[in-house]
PDB file of all heavy atoms in Angstrom:
ATOM      1  N   PHE A 230     -42.394  90.829  18.537  1.00 97.00           N
ATOM      2  CA  PHE A 230     -43.124  92.023  18.340  1.00 97.00           C
ATOM      3  C   PHE A 230     -42.781  92.607  16.953  1.00 97.00           C
ATOM      4  O   PHE A 230     -41.752  93.183  16.782  1.00 97.00           O
ATOM      5  CB  PHE A 230     -42.883  93.080  19.400  1.00 97.00           C
ATOM      6  CG  PHE A 230     -43.415  92.715  20.783  1.00 97.00           C
ATOM      7  CD1 PHE A 230     -42.631  91.889  21.556  1.00 97.00           C
ATOM      8  CD2 PHE A 230     -44.707  93.175  21.109  1.00 97.00           C
ATOM      9  CE1 PHE A 230     -43.188  91.588  22.851  1.00 97.00           C
ATOM     10  CE2 PHE A 230     -45.157  92.779  22.411  1.00 97.00           C
ATOM     11  CZ  PHE A 230     -44.437  92.007  23.290  1.00 97.00           C
ATOM     12  N   THR A 231     -43.586  92.270  16.000  1.00 94.00           N
ATOM     13  CA  THR A 231     -43.422  92.701  14.555  1.00 94.00           C
ATOM     14  C   THR A 231     -42.165  92.158  14.020  1.00 94.00           C
ATOM     15  O   THR A 231     -42.194  91.111  13.296  1.00 94.00           O
ATOM     16  CB  THR A 231     -43.376  94.227  14.396  1.00 94.00           C
ATOM     17  OG1 THR A 231     -44.545  94.795  15.117  1.00 94.00           O
ATOM     18  CG2 THR A 231     -43.414  94.650  12.957  1.00 94.00           C
ATOM     19  N   ASP A 232     -40.967  92.705  14.255  1.00 96.00           N
ATOM     20  CA  ASP A 232     -39.767  92.204  13.685  1.00 96.00           C
ATOM     21  C   ASP A 232     -38.587  92.069  14.627  1.00 96.00           C
ATOM     22  O   ASP A 232     -37.456  91.902  14.238  1.00 96.00           O
ATOM     23  CB  ASP A 232     -39.283  93.134  12.508  1.00 96.00           C
ATOM     24  CG  ASP A 232     -38.997  94.621  13.068  1.00 96.00           C
ATOM     25  OD1 ASP A 232     -39.303  94.725  14.198  1.00 96.00           O
ATOM     26  OD2 ASP A 232     -38.549  95.389  12.202  1.00 96.00           O
ATOM     27  N   ARG A 233     -38.892  92.037  15.908  1.00 98.00           N
ATOM     28  CA  ARG A 233     -37.814  91.890  16.971  1.00 98.00           C
ATOM     29  C   ARG A 233     -38.399  91.083  18.144  1.00 98.00           C
ATOM     30  O   ARG A 233     -39.583  91.129  18.529  1.00 98.00           O
ATOM     31  CB  ARG A 233     -37.305  93.220  17.389  1.00 98.00           C
ATOM     32  CG  ARG A 233     -38.194  94.042  18.372  1.00 98.00           C
ATOM     33  CD  ARG A 233     -37.505  95.254  18.843  1.00 98.00           C
ATOM     34  NE  ARG A 233     -37.649  96.365  17.930  1.00 98.00           N
ATOM     35  CZ  ARG A 233     -36.776  97.228  17.801  1.00 98.00           C
ATOM     36  NH1 ARG A 233     -35.565  97.183  18.224  1.00 98.00           N
ATOM     37  NH2 ARG A 233     -37.016  98.277  16.899  1.00 98.00           N
ATOM     38  N   TYR A 234     -37.487  90.422  18.753  1.00 98.00           N
ATOM     39  CA  TYR A 234     -37.812  89.673  20.007  1.00 98.00           C
ATOM     40  C   TYR A 234     -37.787  90.646  21.173  1.00 98.00           C
ATOM     41  O   TYR A 234     -36.911  91.555  21.227  1.00 98.00           O
ATOM     42  CB  TYR A 234     -36.792  88.596  20.265  1.00 98.00           C
ATOM     43  CG  TYR A 234     -37.136  87.298  19.579  1.00 98.00           C
ATOM     44  CD1 TYR A 234     -36.084  86.413  19.195  1.00 98.00           C
ATOM     45  CD2 TYR A 234     -38.395  86.812  19.287  1.00 98.00           C
ATOM     46  CE1 TYR A 234     -36.248  85.210  18.538  1.00 98.00           C
ATOM     47  CE2 TYR A 234     -38.635  85.671  18.603  1.00 98.00           C
ATOM     48  CZ  TYR A 234     -37.624  84.813  18.251  1.00 98.00           C
ATOM     49  OH  TYR A 234     -37.796  83.650  17.587  1.00 98.00           O
ATOM     50  N   LYS A 235     -38.574  90.453  22.200  1.00 98.00           N
ATOM     51  CA  LYS A 235     -38.462  91.053  23.482  1.00 98.00           C
ATOM     52  C   LYS A 235     -38.635  90.032  24.624  1.00 98.00           C
ATOM     53  O   LYS A 235     -39.328  89.006  24.452  1.00 98.00           O
ATOM     54  CB  LYS A 235     -39.542  92.181  23.612  1.00 98.00           C
ATOM     55  CG  LYS A 235     -39.352  93.378  22.769  1.00 98.00           C
ATOM     56  CD  LYS A 235     -40.342  94.395  23.190  1.00 98.00           C
ATOM     57  CE  LYS A 235     -40.190  95.612  22.331  1.00 98.00           C
ATOM     58  NZ  LYS A 235     -41.212  96.780  22.658  1.00 98.00           N
ATOM     59  N   SER A 236     -38.052  90.327  25.786  1.00 97.00           N
ATOM     60  CA  SER A 236     -38.189  89.560  26.957  1.00 97.00           C
ATOM     61  C   SER A 236     -39.073  90.301  27.955  1.00 97.00           C
ATOM     62  O   SER A 236     -38.519  91.156  28.601  1.00 97.00           O
ATOM     63  CB  SER A 236     -36.796  89.158  27.577  1.00 97.00           C
ATOM     64  OG  SER A 236     -36.964  88.676  28.916  1.00 97.00           O
ATOM     65  N   LEU A 237     -40.345  90.007  28.019  1.00 96.00           N
ATOM     66  CA  LEU A 237     -41.250  90.717  28.926  1.00 96.00           C
ATOM     67  C   LEU A 237     -42.202  89.634  29.517  1.00 96.00           C
ATOM     68  O   LEU A 237     -42.485  88.577  28.969  1.00 96.00           O
ATOM     69  CB  LEU A 237     -42.032  91.716  28.102  1.00 96.00           C
ATOM     70  CG  LEU A 237     -41.354  92.845  27.544  1.00 96.00           C
ATOM     71  CD1 LEU A 237     -42.276  93.613  26.589  1.00 96.00           C
ATOM     72  CD2 LEU A 237     -40.682  93.788  28.497  1.00 96.00           C
ATOM     73  N   ALA A 238     -42.697  90.030  30.710  1.00 94.00           N
ATOM     74  CA  ALA A 238     -43.653  89.076  31.442  1.00 94.00           C
ATOM     75  C   ALA A 238     -45.114  89.314  30.877  1.00 94.00           C
ATOM     76  O   ALA A 238     -45.310  90.248  30.184  1.00 94.00           O
ATOM     77  CB  ALA A 238     -43.635  89.390  32.935  1.00 94.00           C
ATOM     78  N   GLU A 239     -45.870  88.278  31.088  1.00 93.00           N
ATOM     79  CA  GLU A 239     -47.300  88.241  30.737  1.00 93.00           C
ATOM     80  C   GLU A 239     -47.543  88.424  29.245  1.00 93.00           C
ATOM     81  O   GLU A 239     -48.387  89.038  28.738  1.00 93.00           O
ATOM     82  CB  GLU A 239     -48.013  89.282  31.501  1.00 93.00           C
ATOM     83  CG  GLU A 239     -48.022  89.022  33.031  1.00 93.00           C
ATOM     84  CD  GLU A 239     -49.029  90.022  33.766  1.00 93.00           C
ATOM     85  OE1 GLU A 239     -49.996  90.344  33.173  1.00 93.00           O
ATOM     86  OE2 GLU A 239     -48.635  90.288  34.930  1.00 93.00           O
ATOM     87  N   GLN A 240     -46.532  87.807  28.449  1.00 93.00           N
ATOM     88  CA  GLN A 240     -46.702  87.845  26.929  1.00 93.00           C
ATOM     89  C   GLN A 240     -46.727  86.358  26.552  1.00 93.00           C
ATOM     90  O   GLN A 240     -46.306  85.515  27.222  1.00 93.00           O
ATOM     91  CB  GLN A 240     -45.547  88.560  26.274  1.00 93.00           C
ATOM     92  CG  GLN A 240     -45.217  89.950  26.908  1.00 93.00           C
ATOM     93  CD  GLN A 240     -46.337  90.851  26.847  1.00 93.00           C
ATOM     94  OE1 GLN A 240     -47.070  90.965  25.825  1.00 93.00           O
ATOM     95  NE2 GLN A 240     -46.508  91.591  27.906  1.00 93.00           N
ATOM     96  N   THR A 241     -47.199  86.056  25.315  1.00 92.00           N
ATOM     97  CA  THR A 241     -47.220  84.781  24.745  1.00 92.00           C
ATOM     98  C   THR A 241     -45.969  84.638  24.073  1.00 92.00           C
ATOM     99  O   THR A 241     -45.625  85.268  23.053  1.00 92.00           O
ATOM    100  CB  THR A 241     -48.423  84.616  23.806  1.00 92.00           C
ATOM    101  OG1 THR A 241     -49.604  84.747  24.556  1.00 92.00           O
ATOM    102  CG2 THR A 241     -48.349  83.161  23.248  1.00 92.00           C
ATOM    103  N   PHE A 242     -45.045  83.789  24.597  1.00 94.00           N
ATOM    104  CA  PHE A 242     -43.772  83.604  23.862  1.00 94.00           C
ATOM    105  C   PHE A 242     -43.915  83.020  22.558  1.00 94.00           C
ATOM    106  O   PHE A 242     -44.804  82.275  22.213  1.00 94.00           O
ATOM    107  CB  PHE A 242     -42.793  82.841  24.748  1.00 94.00           C
ATOM    108  CG  PHE A 242     -43.223  81.469  25.250  1.00 94.00           C
ATOM    109  CD1 PHE A 242     -43.144  80.439  24.369  1.00 94.00           C
ATOM    110  CD2 PHE A 242     -43.635  81.294  26.510  1.00 94.00           C
ATOM    111  CE1 PHE A 242     -43.621  79.227  24.760  1.00 94.00           C
ATOM    112  CE2 PHE A 242     -44.005  80.044  26.919  1.00 94.00           C
ATOM    113  CZ  PHE A 242     -43.969  78.973  26.123  1.00 94.00           C
ATOM    114  N   THR A 243     -42.930  83.149  21.728  1.00 95.00           N
ATOM    115  CA  THR A 243     -43.007  82.782  20.306  1.00 95.00           C
ATOM    116  C   THR A 243     -42.221  81.483  20.080  1.00 95.00           C
ATOM    117  O   THR A 243     -41.122  81.258  20.638  1.00 95.00           O
ATOM    118  CB  THR A 243     -42.309  83.853  19.424  1.00 95.00           C
ATOM    119  OG1 THR A 243     -43.064  85.082  19.563  1.00 95.00           O
ATOM    120  CG2 THR A 243     -42.390  83.431  17.879  1.00 95.00           C
ATOM    121  N   VAL A 244     -42.801  80.517  19.349  1.00 95.00           N
ATOM    122  CA  VAL A 244     -42.191  79.261  19.025  1.00 95.00           C
ATOM    123  C   VAL A 244     -42.160  79.098  17.522  1.00 95.00           C
ATOM    124  O   VAL A 244     -42.576  79.960  16.762  1.00 95.00           O
ATOM    125  CB  VAL A 244     -42.978  78.092  19.646  1.00 95.00           C
ATOM    126  CG1 VAL A 244     -42.784  78.210  21.254  1.00 95.00           C
ATOM    127  CG2 VAL A 244     -44.414  78.013  19.232  1.00 95.00           C
ATOM    128  N   ALA A 245     -41.689  77.992  17.076  1.00 96.00           N
ATOM    129  CA  ALA A 245     -41.711  77.549  15.681  1.00 96.00           C
ATOM    130  C   ALA A 245     -41.036  78.550  14.702  1.00 96.00           C
ATOM    131  O   ALA A 245     -41.627  78.929  13.645  1.00 96.00           O
ATOM    132  CB  ALA A 245     -43.126  77.264  15.201  1.00 96.00           C
ATOM    133  N   GLN A 246     -39.817  78.968  15.058  1.00 97.00           N
ATOM    134  CA  GLN A 246     -38.984  79.757  14.164  1.00 97.00           C
ATOM    135  C   GLN A 246     -37.719  79.031  13.778  1.00 97.00           C
ATOM    136  O   GLN A 246     -37.226  78.234  14.564  1.00 97.00           O
ATOM    137  CB  GLN A 246     -38.650  81.095  14.893  1.00 97.00           C
ATOM    138  CG  GLN A 246     -39.829  81.964  15.346  1.00 97.00           C
ATOM    139  CD  GLN A 246     -40.699  82.439  14.206  1.00 97.00           C
ATOM    140  OE1 GLN A 246     -40.124  82.793  13.155  1.00 97.00           O
ATOM    141  NE2 GLN A 246     -42.019  82.277  14.304  1.00 97.00           N
ATOM    142  N   THR A 247     -37.121  79.292  12.663  1.00 97.00           N
ATOM    143  CA  THR A 247     -35.927  78.651  12.208  1.00 97.00           C
ATOM    144  C   THR A 247     -34.781  79.247  13.013  1.00 97.00           C
ATOM    145  O   THR A 247     -34.884  80.368  13.616  1.00 97.00           O
ATOM    146  CB  THR A 247     -35.697  78.845  10.776  1.00 97.00           C
ATOM    147  OG1 THR A 247     -35.485  80.259  10.494  1.00 97.00           O
ATOM    148  CG2 THR A 247     -36.748  78.263   9.903  1.00 97.00           C
ATOM    149  N   PHE A 248     -33.630  78.728  13.020  1.00 97.00           N
ATOM    150  CA  PHE A 248     -32.457  79.228  13.682  1.00 97.00           C
ATOM    151  C   PHE A 248     -32.074  80.611  13.137  1.00 97.00           C
ATOM    152  O   PHE A 248     -31.762  81.554  13.928  1.00 97.00           O
ATOM    153  CB  PHE A 248     -31.262  78.189  13.462  1.00 97.00           C
ATOM    154  CG  PHE A 248     -30.055  78.612  14.151  1.00 97.00           C
ATOM    155  CD1 PHE A 248     -30.043  79.121  15.527  1.00 97.00           C
ATOM    156  CD2 PHE A 248     -28.795  78.477  13.603  1.00 97.00           C
ATOM    157  CE1 PHE A 248     -28.936  79.395  16.202  1.00 97.00           C
ATOM    158  CE2 PHE A 248     -27.600  78.835  14.243  1.00 97.00           C
ATOM    159  CZ  PHE A 248     -27.712  79.283  15.544  1.00 97.00           C
ATOM    160  N   ASP A 249     -32.127  80.730  11.858  1.00 97.00           N
ATOM    161  CA  ASP A 249     -31.848  82.005  11.228  1.00 97.00           C
ATOM    162  C   ASP A 249     -32.761  83.087  11.618  1.00 97.00           C
ATOM    163  O   ASP A 249     -32.425  84.263  11.863  1.00 97.00           O
ATOM    164  CB  ASP A 249     -31.850  81.928   9.673  1.00 97.00           C
ATOM    165  CG  ASP A 249     -30.599  81.319   9.053  1.00 97.00           C
ATOM    166  OD1 ASP A 249     -29.656  81.251   9.824  1.00 97.00           O
ATOM    167  OD2 ASP A 249     -30.629  80.921   7.922  1.00 97.00           O
ATOM    168  N   LYS A 250     -34.157  82.818  11.630  1.00 98.00           N
ATOM    169  CA  LYS A 250     -35.107  83.760  12.152  1.00 98.00           C
ATOM    170  C   LYS A 250     -34.873  84.119  13.637  1.00 98.00           C
ATOM    171  O   LYS A 250     -34.978  85.344  13.931  1.00 98.00           O
ATOM    172  CB  LYS A 250     -36.454  83.163  11.994  1.00 98.00           C
ATOM    173  CG  LYS A 250     -36.929  83.098  10.457  1.00 98.00           C
ATOM    174  CD  LYS A 250     -37.133  84.493   9.890  1.00 98.00           C
ATOM    175  CE  LYS A 250     -37.785  84.349   8.517  1.00 98.00           C
ATOM    176  NZ  LYS A 250     -38.000  85.677   7.868  1.00 98.00           N
ATOM    177  N   GLU A 251     -34.539  83.182  14.433  1.00 98.00           N
ATOM    178  CA  GLU A 251     -34.280  83.492  15.856  1.00 98.00           C
ATOM    179  C   GLU A 251     -33.152  84.473  15.989  1.00 98.00           C
ATOM    180  O   GLU A 251     -33.166  85.435  16.769  1.00 98.00           O
ATOM    181  CB  GLU A 251     -33.986  82.178  16.637  1.00 98.00           C
ATOM    182  CG  GLU A 251     -35.123  81.269  16.841  1.00 98.00           C
ATOM    183  CD  GLU A 251     -34.886  80.036  17.618  1.00 98.00           C
ATOM    184  OE1 GLU A 251     -33.659  79.792  17.802  1.00 98.00           O
ATOM    185  OE2 GLU A 251     -35.807  79.402  18.099  1.00 98.00           O
ATOM    186  N   MET A 252     -32.106  84.277  15.251  1.00 98.00           N
ATOM    187  CA  MET A 252     -30.915  85.200  15.308  1.00 98.00           C
ATOM    188  C   MET A 252     -31.369  86.526  14.723  1.00 98.00           C
ATOM    189  O   MET A 252     -30.962  87.637  15.250  1.00 98.00           O
ATOM    190  CB  MET A 252     -29.711  84.594  14.506  1.00 98.00           C
ATOM    191  CG  MET A 252     -29.087  83.447  15.178  1.00 98.00           C
ATOM    192  SD  MET A 252     -27.509  82.925  14.377  1.00 98.00           S
ATOM    193  CE  MET A 252     -28.091  82.286  12.794  1.00 98.00           C
ATOM    194  N   LEU A 253     -32.160  86.550  13.655  1.00 98.00           N
ATOM    195  CA  LEU A 253     -32.565  87.786  13.017  1.00 98.00           C
ATOM    196  C   LEU A 253     -33.318  88.628  13.957  1.00 98.00           C
ATOM    197  O   LEU A 253     -33.126  89.858  14.115  1.00 98.00           O
ATOM    198  CB  LEU A 253     -33.324  87.505  11.716  1.00 98.00           C
ATOM    199  CG  LEU A 253     -33.930  88.662  10.988  1.00 98.00           C
ATOM    200  CD1 LEU A 253     -32.791  89.581  10.414  1.00 98.00           C
ATOM    201  CD2 LEU A 253     -34.945  88.222   9.882  1.00 98.00           C
ATOM    202  N   TYR A 254     -34.414  88.025  14.615  1.00 98.00           N
ATOM    203  CA  TYR A 254     -35.250  88.792  15.484  1.00 98.00           C
ATOM    204  C   TYR A 254     -34.512  89.268  16.778  1.00 98.00           C
ATOM    205  O   TYR A 254     -34.892  90.252  17.299  1.00 98.00           O
ATOM    206  CB  TYR A 254     -36.437  87.913  15.865  1.00 98.00           C
ATOM    207  CG  TYR A 254     -37.346  87.616  14.690  1.00 98.00           C
ATOM    208  CD1 TYR A 254     -37.959  86.275  14.602  1.00 98.00           C
ATOM    209  CD2 TYR A 254     -37.539  88.438  13.637  1.00 98.00           C
ATOM    210  CE1 TYR A 254     -38.813  85.919  13.575  1.00 98.00           C
ATOM    211  CE2 TYR A 254     -38.401  88.044  12.503  1.00 98.00           C
ATOM    212  CZ  TYR A 254     -38.937  86.824  12.587  1.00 98.00           C
ATOM    213  OH  TYR A 254     -39.744  86.474  11.443  1.00 98.00           O
ATOM    214  N   SER A 255     -33.452  88.461  17.222  1.00 98.00           N
ATOM    215  CA  SER A 255     -32.733  88.871  18.395  1.00 98.00           C
ATOM    216  C   SER A 255     -31.826  90.063  18.043  1.00 98.00           C
ATOM    217  O   SER A 255     -31.825  91.050  18.787  1.00 98.00           O
ATOM    218  CB  SER A 255     -31.847  87.682  18.833  1.00 98.00           C
ATOM    219  OG  SER A 255     -32.628  86.578  19.209  1.00 98.00           O
ATOM    220  N   LYS A 256     -31.249  89.995  16.891  1.00 98.00           N
ATOM    221  CA  LYS A 256     -30.260  91.112  16.522  1.00 98.00           C
ATOM    222  C   LYS A 256     -30.931  92.293  16.103  1.00 98.00           C
ATOM    223  O   LYS A 256     -30.351  93.403  16.059  1.00 98.00           O
ATOM    224  CB  LYS A 256     -29.316  90.642  15.383  1.00 98.00           C
ATOM    225  CG  LYS A 256     -28.434  89.486  15.808  1.00 98.00           C
ATOM    226  CD  LYS A 256     -27.573  89.036  14.686  1.00 98.00           C
ATOM    227  CE  LYS A 256     -26.705  87.856  15.044  1.00 98.00           C
ATOM    228  NZ  LYS A 256     -25.819  87.396  13.919  1.00 98.00           N
ATOM    229  N   ALA A 257     -32.279  92.232  15.744  1.00 98.00           N
ATOM    230  CA  ALA A 257     -33.050  93.448  15.425  1.00 98.00           C
ATOM    231  C   ALA A 257     -33.095  94.392  16.539  1.00 98.00           C
ATOM    232  O   ALA A 257     -33.485  95.656  16.396  1.00 98.00           O
ATOM    233  CB  ALA A 257     -34.433  93.047  15.008  1.00 98.00           C
ATOM    234  N   ASN A 258     -32.820  94.052  17.825  1.00 98.00           N
ATOM    235  CA  ASN A 258     -32.796  94.952  18.922  1.00 98.00           C
ATOM    236  C   ASN A 258     -31.670  95.948  18.865  1.00 98.00           C
ATOM    237  O   ASN A 258     -31.683  97.048  19.388  1.00 98.00           O
ATOM    238  CB  ASN A 258     -32.744  94.173  20.248  1.00 98.00           C
ATOM    239  CG  ASN A 258     -34.117  93.524  20.579  1.00 98.00           C
ATOM    240  OD1 ASN A 258     -34.992  94.181  21.057  1.00 98.00           O
ATOM    241  ND2 ASN A 258     -34.219  92.254  20.293  1.00 98.00           N
ATOM    242  N   GLY A 259     -30.571  95.498  18.235  1.00 97.00           N
ATOM    243  CA  GLY A 259     -29.349  96.390  18.173  1.00 97.00           C
ATOM    244  C   GLY A 259     -28.069  95.454  18.068  1.00 97.00           C
ATOM    245  O   GLY A 259     -28.179  94.222  18.164  1.00 97.00           O
ATOM    246  N   GLU A 260     -26.970  96.156  17.814  1.00 95.00           N
ATOM    247  CA  GLU A 260     -25.677  95.427  17.588  1.00 95.00           C
ATOM    248  C   GLU A 260     -25.209  94.593  18.727  1.00 95.00           C
ATOM    249  O   GLU A 260     -24.349  93.733  18.600  1.00 95.00           O
ATOM    250  CB  GLU A 260     -24.602  96.454  17.126  1.00 95.00           C
ATOM    251  CG  GLU A 260     -24.297  97.467  18.247  1.00 95.00           C
ATOM    252  CD  GLU A 260     -23.208  98.438  17.744  1.00 95.00           C
ATOM    253  OE1 GLU A 260     -22.741  98.202  16.621  1.00 95.00           O
ATOM    254  OE2 GLU A 260     -22.841  99.378  18.498  1.00 95.00           O
ATOM    255  N   ASN A 261     -25.652  94.817  19.917  1.00 97.00           N
ATOM    256  CA  ASN A 261     -25.209  94.132  21.060  1.00 97.00           C
ATOM    257  C   ASN A 261     -26.007  92.894  21.400  1.00 97.00           C
ATOM    258  O   ASN A 261     -25.700  92.208  22.325  1.00 97.00           O
ATOM    259  CB  ASN A 261     -25.198  95.053  22.294  1.00 97.00           C
ATOM    260  CG  ASN A 261     -24.343  96.239  22.130  1.00 97.00           C
ATOM    261  OD1 ASN A 261     -23.150  96.170  21.788  1.00 97.00           O
ATOM    262  ND2 ASN A 261     -24.909  97.407  22.289  1.00 97.00           N
ATOM    263  N   TRP A 262     -27.050  92.653  20.661  1.00 98.00           N
ATOM    264  CA  TRP A 262     -28.038  91.560  20.974  1.00 98.00           C
ATOM    265  C   TRP A 262     -27.819  90.324  20.160  1.00 98.00           C
ATOM    266  O   TRP A 262     -27.353  90.444  19.086  1.00 98.00           O
ATOM    267  CB  TRP A 262     -29.451  92.108  20.743  1.00 98.00           C
ATOM    268  CG  TRP A 262     -29.791  93.286  21.684  1.00 98.00           C
ATOM    269  CD1 TRP A 262     -29.309  94.593  21.585  1.00 98.00           C
ATOM    270  CD2 TRP A 262     -30.602  93.212  22.898  1.00 98.00           C
ATOM    271  NE1 TRP A 262     -29.892  95.326  22.619  1.00 98.00           N
ATOM    272  CE2 TRP A 262     -30.669  94.524  23.395  1.00 98.00           C
ATOM    273  CE3 TRP A 262     -31.281  92.141  23.515  1.00 98.00           C
ATOM    274  CZ2 TRP A 262     -31.357  94.768  24.562  1.00 98.00           C
ATOM    275  CZ3 TRP A 262     -32.012  92.535  24.628  1.00 98.00           C
ATOM    276  CH2 TRP A 262     -32.045  93.810  25.200  1.00 98.00           C
ATOM    277  N   ASP A 263     -28.196  89.210  20.750  1.00 98.00           N
ATOM    278  CA  ASP A 263     -28.054  87.932  20.108  1.00 98.00           C
ATOM    279  C   ASP A 263     -28.954  86.913  20.735  1.00 98.00           C
ATOM    280  O   ASP A 263     -29.700  87.260  21.661  1.00 98.00           O
ATOM    281  CB  ASP A 263     -26.628  87.448  20.059  1.00 98.00           C
ATOM    282  CG  ASP A 263     -26.313  86.782  18.707  1.00 98.00           C
ATOM    283  OD1 ASP A 263     -26.865  85.782  18.435  1.00 98.00           O
ATOM    284  OD2 ASP A 263     -25.228  87.275  18.151  1.00 98.00           O
ATOM    285  N   ILE A 264     -28.802  85.586  20.384  1.00 98.00           N
ATOM    286  CA  ILE A 264     -29.550  84.505  20.968  1.00 98.00           C
ATOM    287  C   ILE A 264     -28.697  83.976  22.070  1.00 98.00           C
ATOM    288  O   ILE A 264     -27.528  84.020  22.107  1.00 98.00           O
ATOM    289  CB  ILE A 264     -30.001  83.418  19.946  1.00 98.00           C
ATOM    290  CG1 ILE A 264     -28.813  82.727  19.410  1.00 98.00           C
ATOM    291  CG2 ILE A 264     -30.866  84.065  18.950  1.00 98.00           C
ATOM    292  CD1 ILE A 264     -29.117  81.547  18.596  1.00 98.00           C
ATOM    293  N   PHE A 265     -29.444  83.224  23.025  1.00 98.00           N
ATOM    294  CA  PHE A 265     -28.716  82.447  24.079  1.00 98.00           C
ATOM    295  C   PHE A 265     -27.803  81.487  23.461  1.00 98.00           C
ATOM    296  O   PHE A 265     -28.085  80.829  22.464  1.00 98.00           O
ATOM    297  CB  PHE A 265     -29.835  81.688  24.904  1.00 98.00           C
ATOM    298  CG  PHE A 265     -29.363  81.122  26.196  1.00 98.00           C
ATOM    299  CD1 PHE A 265     -28.999  81.931  27.263  1.00 98.00           C
ATOM    300  CD2 PHE A 265     -29.350  79.802  26.385  1.00 98.00           C
ATOM    301  CE1 PHE A 265     -28.608  81.442  28.489  1.00 98.00           C
ATOM    302  CE2 PHE A 265     -28.937  79.233  27.603  1.00 98.00           C
ATOM    303  CZ  PHE A 265     -28.595  80.073  28.628  1.00 98.00           C
ATOM    304  N   GLY A 266     -26.593  81.359  23.995  1.00 98.00           N
ATOM    305  CA  GLY A 266     -25.546  80.508  23.423  1.00 98.00           C
ATOM    306  C   GLY A 266     -25.087  79.383  24.334  1.00 98.00           C
ATOM    307  O   GLY A 266     -25.367  79.369  25.556  1.00 98.00           O
TER     308      GLY A 266
END
Side-chain angles (χ1 to χ4, degrees):
F230 290 87
T231 308
D232 61 353
R233 78 174 85 217
Y234 278 149
K235 289 185 182 183
S236 167
L237 297 171
E239 298 189 30
Q240 312 301 319
T241 300
F242 56 76
T243 302
V244 296
Q246 301 296 316
T247 64
F248 184 43
D249 280 345
K250 288 291 188 181
E251 289 181 346
M252 291 191 291
L253 177 66
Y254 297 144
S255 299
K256 294 178 181 180
N258 285 283
E260 62 179 356
N261 301 304
W262 296 76
D263 218 303
I264 64 168
F265 192 69

